[in-house]
Amino acid sequence: MIDLHSHTDESDGTFTPAELVAEGVRVGLRALSITDHDTFAGYDGAVPYAAAAGLELICGIELSTRYQGASVHLLGYFPLAPPSAELRAWLGWMLEMRRDRNIRLIAKLQSLGLEITLKEVEKIGRTLTGRPHFARVLVEKGYATDVQNAFDLYLDESARGFVQRQEVPMEEALERILASGGVPSLAHPNRVAKNNWEKLAAYVEDLAGLGMRAIEVYHSDHSPENVSYYASLAERFNLGITGGSDFHGANKPLISLGTGKRNNLNVPDALAENLKDLAMRS
Ligand code: AMP
Ligand code: ZN
Ligand code: FE
Ligand code: FE
């Protein structure tokens, strides 16, 4: 068993890098990839723990990109060598865009009459403060009944507190990952064109033409039908296959590392080795 999609508390998970490695060992993973949103801090922190435990740790990332007018998640894997300094610098720029959005989001919420400060939100979100952290503070303050309610009332794209964050174009994200020796993989494709399989096929074909190297076939949100269809798309468009639970600890309590939701996940060990071949494809 391996797991190529997980989050630490350096993004929106709740496990520290050390705790995530320990959990990987506990459930018997052969390889683990940490794919935090917009940062390598969780991976960096986990390296010594994984080395000490003898667990294969694969460097990864998950980026929110803009493609055809929608927000699309893109995974990047660096199985051969750590990502370049250029890529890290670019992530720093993305963090600045995020902070800029957070400043505007606080102003917007205050203008709606809510008493909330950026300091309160950043206390729990730290460098990767995002809307889930805003949601938690809104709940603590009694402005929403739970996190979902906070999104519905204020933070969702359709809600009255929403402010846009500048997202990187998919084309640029693909280029940057490839230039840094990485393998870009389309994350959880069922979010892209739900139940519209022909549309998804055209979409994946376009992305393959832009440099996409793989598609996330295995995921906690994928049905067996999804898995077989996405695998057929990978074969059809000569893409590699990745898979993982999208573990977030207590933030997504139904998802277990390695085994997904109610044991619905079983990512073949061979995919970890295949990632290295995909990274060497030129
Ligand atoms: P951010 O990157 O700060 O804009 O936050 C994005 C994160 O917010 C996503 O990864 C989700 O975890 C969460 N999120 C976005 N929209 C919703 C929603 N409508 N309901 C619940 N969670 C959401
Ligand atoms: Zn996440
Ligand atoms: Fe995602
Ligand atoms: Fe994720």
Side-chain angles (χ1 to χ4, degrees):
M1 182 171 54
I2 64 170
D3 196 322
L4 301 178
H5 190 157
S6 68
H7 298 267
T8 73
D9 66 352
E10 291 291 347
S11 66
D12 58 350
T14 59
F15 280 41
T16 64
E19 288 166 350
L20 188 64
V21 168
E23 181 67 2
V25 170
R26 191 185 72 78
V27 303
L29 291 185
R30 294 289 196 80
L32 168 69
S33 182
I34 293 177
T35 53
D36 274 318
H37 301 279
D38 304 351
T39 180
F40 291 116
Y43 165 80
D44 292 338
V47 167
Y49 296 98
L55 174 65
E56 184 183 354
L57 185 69
I58 297 168
C59 179
I61 193 128
E62 183 171 20
L63 302 173
S64 298
T65 70
R66 205 80 197 158
Y67 186 60
Q68 297 182 351
S71 179
V72 180
H73 288 186
L74 177 67
L75 293 160
Y77 294 101
F78 305 86
L80 300 177
S84 66
E86 286 105 299
L87 194 73
R88 286 176 181 267
W90 180 62
L91 292 179
W93 174 83
M94 302 227 308
L95 285 184
E96 280 173 38
M97 291 301 108
R98 172 177 286 278
R99 183 125 210 289
D100 168 76
R101 186 281 310 264
N102 290 346
I103 290 167
R104 288 182 288 114
L105 179 52
I106 276 292
K108 178 88 180 212
L109 294 174
Q110 288 171 347
S111 79
L112 294 172
L114 307 189
E115 282 181 30
I116 181 171
T117 65
L118 190 54
K119 206 170 155 204
E120 291 166 327
V121 186
E122 287 186 335
K123 197 172 161 207
I124 54 172
R126 296 178 294 149
T127 47
L128 229 97
T129 295
R131 282 181 289 158
H133 306 107
F134 282 78
R136 270 164 61 187
V137 173
L138 290 174
V139 173
E140 276 166 29
K141 294 189 164 228
Y143 291 120
T145 52
D146 58 23
V147 164
Q148 190 55 55
N149 182 239
F151 270 95
D152 294 345
L153 290 177
Y154 299 109
L155 302 170
D156 182 72
E157 273 193 16
S158 63
R160 45 196 190 123
F162 184 77
V163 298
Q164 190 72 48
R165 170 159 69 103
Q166 198 179 327
E167 281 174 322
V168 49
M170 170 67 84
E171 292 82 350
E172 182 182 356
L174 288 169
E175 243 169 63
R176 297 249 183 196
I177 291 170
L178 290 166
S180 188
V183 178
S185 179
L186 176 64
H188 36 66
N190 63 328
R191 296 226 199 130
V192 175
K194 213 150 184 120
N195 300 323
N196 189 340
W197 287 10
E198 264 325 295
K199 187 171 161 202
L200 182 64
Y203 191 93
V204 170
E205 183 171 25
D206 288 344
L207 287 174
L210 291 171
M212 190 69 77
R213 287 261 174 92
I215 171 170
E216 190 172 47
V217 167
Y218 303 92
H219 186 276
S220 300
D221 290 338
H222 291 175
S223 67
E225 293 74 29
N226 288 152
V227 169
S228 41
Y229 183 64
Y230 302 153
S232 77
L233 289 181
E235 183 162 343
R236 188 163 148 198
F237 301 118
N238 192 27
L239 292 167
I241 291 175
T242 68
S245 62
D246 213 350
F247 181 77
H248 283 73
N251 283 342
K252 291 190 180 172
L254 299 181
I255 299 177
S256 302
L257 192 67
T259 52
K261 280 185 195 158
R262 297 166 157 265
N263 281 311
N264 71 346
L265 192 74
N266 189 0
V267 186
D269 288 1
L271 297 190
E273 223 25 61
N274 292 354
L275 260 189
K276 292 168 193 154
D277 299 333
L278 289 168
M280 284 185 283
R281 248 194 222 179
S282 54

